Amino acid sequence: MSKANQMLWYKAWTDTRMFFFLGMFSLIAMVGALNMAYPGSPGQEFPHGALAVRLADVRSLPQDARSYIWLHWFGNTLVIWLSILAVALASTGFPPPRAATGSILHTLALPVSRRIMAGVRVAMGFVELVIAAVIPTLLVCVAAALRGQSYSVREGLVQSLLAVAGAGALYALFVFFSATLGEMAKGILGCATLFLFGLFTFLVDGVQQYSIFRLMTGDMYFLRGEIPWLGIAGSVCASLLLIVGSLAIVERRDY
Amino acid sequence: MIEEPIIITRKLRKAYGRRVAVDGLDLEVPSGSICGLLGRNGSGKTTALKMLMGITRPDSGEGRVFGQRINNNQESLAIRARTGFLPEDKLVPGGMTVGELIRFTRAFYPLWRNDLEEHFLRLFHLPPSMTGASLSKGARCQLSLVLALSRGAELLVLDEPTSGLDPAMSEQVLRSLVTLAGEGQTTVLFSSHQISEVEQIADRVCMISRGRAVLSEEMDELANTYQQVRIVFDGKPPVSEFDNAREEGRTLSMLVRGDVEEVVARGRAMHALSVDVAPATLKDIFLTETSEAVE
């Protein structure tokens, strides 16, 4: 990798690291909370359901550590925090001209194409999402082992990557919003999209199975051992389309 | 053989919605020159400079820098590799320290001038560990200058390089530009509101009004081309008899482009008490040329 490309990655890191550290700190704190709140006696009722998962499926779960971890970590905490982190990281991307601070002119005047510049930024955000999903999940697995319980590392990795597949689509959607809308419009439309989508997911049975949040919880994998290839493919395709569209917009834009 | 100008634009146009920022700009900047770009607020200077750097795309017209087309992505990269650009607001990425920003920018320019970097860092006393966001406005301007001037660039495109600097610093920066151009390898195009700065260092001036170049001349030629004429009459002066004349009591003042003898003769024929001809100042020329275009 050339020195210039290394520096582009480094700059992307400096631009995003604050949100990344906040996200990691929050997720690691949640790992601690998950362990502290672990119900000691077997058979104790688990208080929560999982996002976008049918209640009947949740009720049918055995009352053990594996179910507890999945419900709390993959079914709630990781989905919520990874979604928030995805939105935050996407907001650090290329802003539209009116919202752009002058600092972007310094970068745009460098001898590097906007496609590479923006591509590196998007890729850095995605890498951070992967790390933010995988590292705390591994901690969850280690903490379970220390407690004398078990949650397989392999299972944890698959679940966390499913969460990333869904969060990646959210990230791409907000990168697209960032590239096309002003700050205010981006905020309003972004929040409205998430709220309405979330509402439909949880209130309308028919929507639930197609929800990005369901993909993130990985219920198919947890309950039936099936990897949701269709959901992954849909999410990846949508992400790619949104990212390619965003890069094309940024490349043609006047600053 | 006549050397091709480093910057050439022909009928360059850029509009933002209904507002036309640059309207058929013809500009030429010869190699090795220091060209001052003068214009009122909103005259299109910044947009023109951003188009040269590929930051903004022209709607129509043609522009070439180093012979490369400014509206072609690949050729624009080649332009930017040989050019140091200083944007108008001189903001730098806020999350990186001064040292990091220098390392970041240096990575893109193989001909980076460490000597100039050290010179300007010494001059400005910039703390290497402070982040861009925590720098004062003046320090940000200074850092932007370090980042633009140390690139070892053949061309410097500077949008108001001394804005935000105190007079002593401004003087140092202007001297540095002259030194860089004097080394013979750097061409400078800078915009300014400060006519005195252009007079001080430019060897060529281009005036823009409403997005058009209304004047583009060597500074040495200006003295031959423009003269300030003051005609004093014994009573109310015949202001309508002279083009662009300004009435001040019994005196008519006017900037004359070209044949001044004809104006002097006409004044004398009208029994003027006195007719004085003096070299026109750049300010006189700027006010006349830009107000003509506005009217």
Side-chain angles (χ1 to χ4, degrees):
Chain A
M1 190 190 288
S2 72
K3 183 104 179 159
N5 279 341
Q6 283 175 31
M7 290 313 290
L8 275 182
W9 279 95
Y10 181 68
K11 181 174 182 299
W13 163 243
T14 62
D15 288 343
T16 54
R17 65 187 168 192
M18 187 185 76
F19 286 126
F20 173 70
F21 282 135
L22 279 174
M24 280 295 276
F25 177 80
S26 305
L27 281 163
I28 288 170
M30 294 292 172
V31 174
L34 183 80
N35 275 279
M36 286 167 70
Y38 180 75
S41 52
Q44 187 178 329
E45 284 287 320
F46 295 149
H48 300 297
L51 291 173
V53 181
R54 289 189 315 151
L55 214 53
D57 286 337
V58 174
R59 284 185 184 137
S60 69
L61 289 173
Q63 303 286 297
D64 57 11
R66 185 170 167 269
S67 302
Y68 172 81
I69 288 171
W70 179 70
L71 278 176
H72 283 269
W73 183 251
F74 297 107
N76 286 291
T77 308
L78 191 61
V79 175
I80 294 169
W81 284 96
L82 214 55
S83 300
I84 293 172
L85 183 61
V87 172
L89 289 174
S91 71
T92 64
F94 270 62
R98 281 186 188 172
T101 62
S103 70
I104 205 167
L105 297 183
H106 173 79
T107 318
L108 290 174
L110 296 173
V112 59
S113 77
R114 291 186 193 185
R115 191 170 281 265
I116 290 175
M117 212 181 286
V120 165
R121 173 69 69 86
V122 169
M124 174 58 81
F126 189 75
V127 168
E128 287 171 344
L129 277 179
V130 172
I131 293 170
V134 169
I135 301 288
T137 296
L138 291 178
L139 286 179
V140 167
C141 297
V142 169
L146 290 176
R147 217 175 40 225
Q149 304 287 349
S150 98
Y151 198 95
S152 109
V153 170
R154 182 178 173 277
E155 205 173 331
L157 282 176
V158 172
Q159 290 278 171
S160 54
L161 291 177
L162 287 174
V164 169
L170 282 180
Y171 175 65
L173 177 68
F174 278 80
V175 164
F176 186 75
F177 282 161
S178 254
T180 49
L181 304 171
E183 286 296 304
M184 180 75 92
K186 179 176 75 182
I188 292 171
L189 190 63
C191 290
T193 306
L194 273 186
F195 179 75
L196 289 174
F197 197 60
L199 206 64
F200 271 103
T201 297
F202 303 123
L203 296 183
V204 184
D205 273 349
V207 174
Q208 214 166 55
Q209 59 181 320
Y210 304 110
S211 169
I212 198 91
F213 298 117
R214 184 173 174 230
L215 175 66
M216 290 175 79
T217 61
D219 71 330
M220 272 175 73
Y221 179 70
F222 182 78
L223 297 169
R224 295 189 287 279
E226 297 168 11
I227 292 186
W229 292 114
L230 201 62
I232 293 172
S235 177
V236 169
C237 287
S239 305
L240 286 176
L241 272 176
L242 288 164
I243 295 294
V244 168
S246 305
L247 295 186
I249 289 166
V250 165
E251 199 167 34
R252 285 167 176 74
R253 163 165 297 152
D254 290 331
Y255 282 92
Chain B
M1 194 177 85
I2 297 172
E3 206 172 344
E4 180 92 338
I6 270 196
I7 298 174
I8 305 177
T9 70
R10 293 280 176 264
K11 296 184 171 24
L12 208 58
R13 186 176 194 279
K14 180 71 193 176
Y16 298 101
R18 288 181 184 173
R19 191 176 70 82
V20 180
V22 172
D23 189 12
L25 179 67
D26 293 327
L27 180 69
E28 284 193 7
V29 178
S31 174
S33 66
I34 301 181
C35 180
L37 199 57
L38 280 173
R40 296 179 170 195
N41 289 333
S43 58
K45 301 187 296 293
T46 295
T47 304
L49 297 185
K50 286 204 277 191
M51 281 195 283
L52 294 177
M53 296 306 300
I55 294 170
T56 298
R57 286 167 181 275
D59 295 334
S60 60
E62 190 194 2
R64 284 178 184 269
V65 180
F66 302 116
Q68 312 266 6
R69 290 168 296 171
I70 60 173
N71 56 354
N72 177 286
N73 282 348
Q74 283 306 313
E75 292 180 32
S76 178
L77 285 181
I79 294 170
R80 297 204 292 267
R82 298 164 71 182
T83 306
F85 177 61
L86 180 74
E88 183 185 21
D89 46 16
K90 298 165 192 63
L91 291 174
V92 289
M96 296 169 97
T97 65
V98 170
E100 286 173 333
L101 273 165
I102 290 173
R103 280 198 297 282
F104 171 67
T105 310
R106 185 199 287 146
F108 294 89
Y109 297 92
L111 301 176
W112 183 268
R113 297 270 305 264
N114 288 316
D115 57 330
L116 286 177
E117 176 198 319
E118 284 165 20
H119 166 74
F120 285 116
L121 285 178
R122 260 199 316 274
L123 181 69
F124 296 142
H125 303 292
L126 287 168
S129 57
M130 275 183 85
T131 60
S134 58
L135 292 173
S136 67
K137 187 186 172 198
R140 271 202 321 263
C141 295
Q142 292 164 352
L143 176 58
S144 296
L145 277 163
V146 176
L147 298 175
L149 301 182
S150 306
R151 293 179 190 188
E154 294 164 59
L155 170 66
L156 293 172
V157 175
L158 312 172
D159 201 348
E160 299 184 25
T162 59
S163 74
L165 299 180
D166 64 50
M169 286 294 174
S170 297
E171 184 64 28
Q172 291 277 10
V173 169
L174 293 174
R175 282 184 195 171
S176 300
L177 292 180
V178 173
T179 306
L180 278 171
E183 290 174 0
Q185 291 167 339
T186 310
T187 304
V188 181
L189 171 64
F190 74 105
S191 76
S192 181
H193 287 298
Q194 305 293 326
I195 291 171
S196 59
E197 285 181 357
V198 176
E199 272 178 326
Q200 184 182 342
I201 67 164
D203 46 36
R204 187 174 182 83
V205 63
C206 177
M207 292 182 190
I208 296 188
S209 185
R210 291 194 168 183
R212 285 172 179 272
V214 291
L215 179 149
S216 185
E217 289 245 20
E218 299 285 332
M219 288 292 276
D220 294 341
E221 289 297 312
L222 280 181
N224 299 330
T225 312
Y226 291 88
Q227 311 266 18
Q228 185 70 35
V229 179
R230 280 168 56 86
I231 309 174
V232 182
F233 291 91
D234 185 19
K236 185 170 172 54
V239 65
S240 58
E241 297 292 323
F242 297 90
D243 291 337
N244 302 316
R246 202 169 61 243
E247 187 178 344
E248 296 159 352
R250 292 185 299 161
T251 304
L252 282 183
S253 298
M254 68 204 81
L255 187 76
V256 177
R257 181 169 32 190
D259 187 9
V260 74
E261 291 307 323
E262 189 271 332
V263 177
V264 170
R266 196 138 42 100
R268 289 195 174 126
M270 291 176 180
H271 308 293
L273 293 179
S274 68
V275 180
D276 295 325
V277 178
T281 64
L282 193 57
K283 184 179 173 185
D284 292 329
I285 299 169
F286 175 74
L287 291 174
T288 304
E289 291 294 352
T290 56
S291 67
E292 270 178 12
V294 168
E295 281 153 19

